[in-house]
């Protein structure tokens, strides 16, 4: 076998079934709904062999303020060692300008490749899992505590603003695509009716995923989190950005296990965009 037998393609919705199979081959649990969100918010590339079988993939999601996220970089075991991973990354890198900060969450196997392409480690991410979760008793609310409510269409613009301040870039297209996918969408509103936080839950093939989760303070983050998980009896996952020690302590005290701390890596910049400390749970590693 030679590299010339593998051609790089731009992938579409028609490639979702083989993308799911490729994801399964490395133990990742992407499903149709997740991949439709990825393709709605970003672009995907992949190699196909002479028979048209998909053997690799990668995705890049571009946000509004010169920020992009790369994820789902997969090469099938049978096709490793032919430079396909590098070609996938180069396709993603060439998709944006050199002024765009690019972030990704690295696996141990992928880190040497990413470093060779100029990526450096910015900070760790905290991946937390629990098989079953019973929300703890939440302290009684004070009169000025934000109330947690189901999201309405009129909240979308405020959510996009809050999300942009939390991650360091607006990502309108992604937020709206994720909202359509979500099992539950909640907002936190202050006494004046202003939206000050929000959270989504996504039901994946294995876990109920909590994120994005944006809140003005730890107590509000807990309230949103517990409402999003209320009544759920299966597995749970939340990936917590660095700097949220109190939230990580809360998860540990309630039976979550931190299973890994994968590095968040960046290129075309020395650090991640400025964030305001309100980001408690990321959407998914592919989205940053």
């Amino acid at each position: 076998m030679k590299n010339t037998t593998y051609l790089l393609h731009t992938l579409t919705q028609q490639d979702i079934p083989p993308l799911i199979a490729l994801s399964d081959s490395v133990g990742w649990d992407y499903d149709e709904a997740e991949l439709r969100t990825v393709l709605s918010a970003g672009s995907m590339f992949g190699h196909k062999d002479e028979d048209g079988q998909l053997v690799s993939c990668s995705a890049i999601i571009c946000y509004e303020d010169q920020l992009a996220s790369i994820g789902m970089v997969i090469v099938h075991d049978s096709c490793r060692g032919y430079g396909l991973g590098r070609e996938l990354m180069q396709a993603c890198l060439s998709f944006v300008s050199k002024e765009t900060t690019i972030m990704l969450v690295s696996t141990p196997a992928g880190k040497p490749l990413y470093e060779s392409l100029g990526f450096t480690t910015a900070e760790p991410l905290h991946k937390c899992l629990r098989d079953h979760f019973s929300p703890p008793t939440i302290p009684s609310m004070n009169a000025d505590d934000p109330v947690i409510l189901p999201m309405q269409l009129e909240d979308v613009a405020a959510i996009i603003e809050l999300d942009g301040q939390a991650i360091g870039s607006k990502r309108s297209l992604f937020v709206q695509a994720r909202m359509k996918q979500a099992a539950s969408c909640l907002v936190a509103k202050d006494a004046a009716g202003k939206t000050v936080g929000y959270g989504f839950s996504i039901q994946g093939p294995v876990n109920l995923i909590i994120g994005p989760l944006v809140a003005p303070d730890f107590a509000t983050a807990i309230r949103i989190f517990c409402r999003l998980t209320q009544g759920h009896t299966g597995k749970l996952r939340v990936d917590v950005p660095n700097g949220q020690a109190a939230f990580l302590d809360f998860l540990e005290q309630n039976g979550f296990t931190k299973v890994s701390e994968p590095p968040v890596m960046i290129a075309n910049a020395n650090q991640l965009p400025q964030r305001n400390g309100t980001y408690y749970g990321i959407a998914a590693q592919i989205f940053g």
Side-chain angles (χ1 to χ4, degrees), residues 160-179:
I160 290 171
E161 288 293 331
L162 289 170
D163 184 79
Q165 294 163 14
I167 196 174
S169 171
K170 276 192 178 181
R171 43 183 189 172
S172 308
L173 186 61
F174 162 70
V175 169
Q176 293 176 81
R178 196 65 162 176
M179 178 182 65

Side-chain angles (χ1 to χ4, degrees), residues 136-204:
T137 301
I138 303 300
S140 300
M141 288 179 59
N142 298 317
D144 56 351
D145 284 342
V147 294
I148 312 303
L149 301 167
M151 191 198 76
Q152 305 296 326
L153 285 177
E154 56 264 29
D155 298 318
V156 174
I159 285 172
I160 290 171
E161 288 293 331
L162 289 170
D163 184 79
Q165 294 163 14
I167 196 174
S169 171
K170 276 192 178 181
R171 43 183 189 172
S172 308
L173 186 61
F174 162 70
V175 169
Q176 293 176 81
R178 196 65 162 176
M179 178 182 65
K180 293 176 183 177
Q181 182 190 354
S184 179
C185 304
L186 299 175
V187 294
K189 294 197 174 188
D190 66 14
K194 179 182 177 182
T195 302
V196 295
Y198 86 98
F200 293 167
S201 65
I202 308 294
Q203 183 59 65

Side-chain angles (χ1 to χ4, degrees), residues 141-272:
M141 288 179 59
N142 298 317
D144 56 351
D145 284 342
V147 294
I148 312 303
L149 301 167
M151 191 198 76
Q152 305 296 326
L153 285 177
E154 56 264 29
D155 298 318
V156 174
I159 285 172
I160 290 171
E161 288 293 331
L162 289 170
D163 184 79
Q165 294 163 14
I167 196 174
S169 171
K170 276 192 178 181
R171 43 183 189 172
S172 308
L173 186 61
F174 162 70
V175 169
Q176 293 176 81
R178 196 65 162 176
M179 178 182 65
K180 293 176 183 177
Q181 182 190 354
S184 179
C185 304
L186 299 175
V187 294
K189 294 197 174 188
D190 66 14
K194 179 182 177 182
T195 302
V196 295
Y198 86 98
F200 293 167
S201 65
I202 308 294
Q203 183 59 65
V206 177
N207 300 294
L208 182 71
I209 299 165
I210 306 303
L213 174 55
V214 173
D217 53 59
F218 168 63
T220 305
I222 290 176
R223 292 183 186 279
I224 296 173
F225 181 86
C226 291
R227 281 285 301 276
L228 287 169
T229 58
Q230 188 173 9
H232 181 73
T233 58
K235 298 183 181 224
L236 287 161
R237 173 174 175 174
V238 56
D239 289 26
V240 182
N242 206 41
Q244 300 294 0
F247 189 61
L248 285 168
D249 287 344
F250 161 79
L251 293 174
E252 182 180 357
Q253 290 163 12
N254 285 279
F256 279 80
T257 300
K258 186 193 297 185
V259 296
S260 64
E261 290 187 358
V264 179
M265 304 187 76
I266 55 172
N268 299 341
N270 295 321
Q271 60 185 15
L272 288 166

Side-chain angles (χ1 to χ4, degrees), residues 18-30 53-57 72 74-78 80:
L19 279 166
I20 293 172
L22 186 61
S23 165
D24 287 344
S25 75
V26 294
W28 292 356
D29 57 347
Y30 283 88
Q53 181 177 352
L54 186 70
V55 299
S56 75
C57 67
M72 204 177 174
I74 302 172
V75 177
H76 194 274
D77 281 347
S78 65
R80 291 181 180 172

